Amino acid sequence: MRMVGLVLTIVLATFVSGLAAQTEPDVRPLGQARVVSGPVDCDGQRCVTVEVACPDVADRALLKIGQAAGLPARGTIVFTTGGGGTGLWEAFGTEARRVIAELRRAGFRTVQIRWLRPWLAGAPGALEGVGRLACRPSTVARWVYDNLHGGAGAYCATGNSGGAGQISYMP
């Protein structure tokens, strides 16, 4: 029994020292985003199209931006959608549009991301992988933070299915 305790202690000590020796995981670099069209009025909100260039991958996204109404700004909420993210969150119907309107009245800026091609689509024949392709939504989220949010109040995102995937892969 004593030998089992000694072996267990050695294994545990090796495991713990291995944890201490681990370094931070490599963080993938963000790309660059730039406005290529807009802003234009779209249903009482503003729309811009951004071109996103990441290492080895690029794409474009439409951002539909609803400014906070009435109250002092309380923050920014980014909305992503399922599948390839090629739809606007408000397209889920009347309830979705109502939620966005209520959030704006409550003082939140809303930013819906609609990819012009599915965000998980790579170049034909290329094997980029989800980690590399996730640079695109990550870069857009950073652009929204730097250029629209400005660090005032809450900054959060919501998405369903593939939209939740966009958010979960963000660094």
Side-chain angles (χ1 to χ4, degrees), residues 39-98:
V40 297
D41 181 65
C42 51
D43 302 322
Q45 298 178 55
R46 291 183 305 140
C47 285
V48 298
T49 300
V50 293
E51 184 173 69
V52 183
C54 289
D56 303 321
V57 293
D59 209 345
R60 288 186 176 195
L62 174 90
L63 307 181
K64 189 168 186 179
I65 305 156
Q67 292 300 329
L71 299 172
R74 297 173 64 188
T76 302
I77 304 171
V78 175
F79 292 83
T80 60
T81 59
T86 57
L88 291 170
W89 198 82
E90 67 187 24
F92 287 125
T94 306
E95 275 301 296
R97 289 188 296 279
R98 182 189 62 75

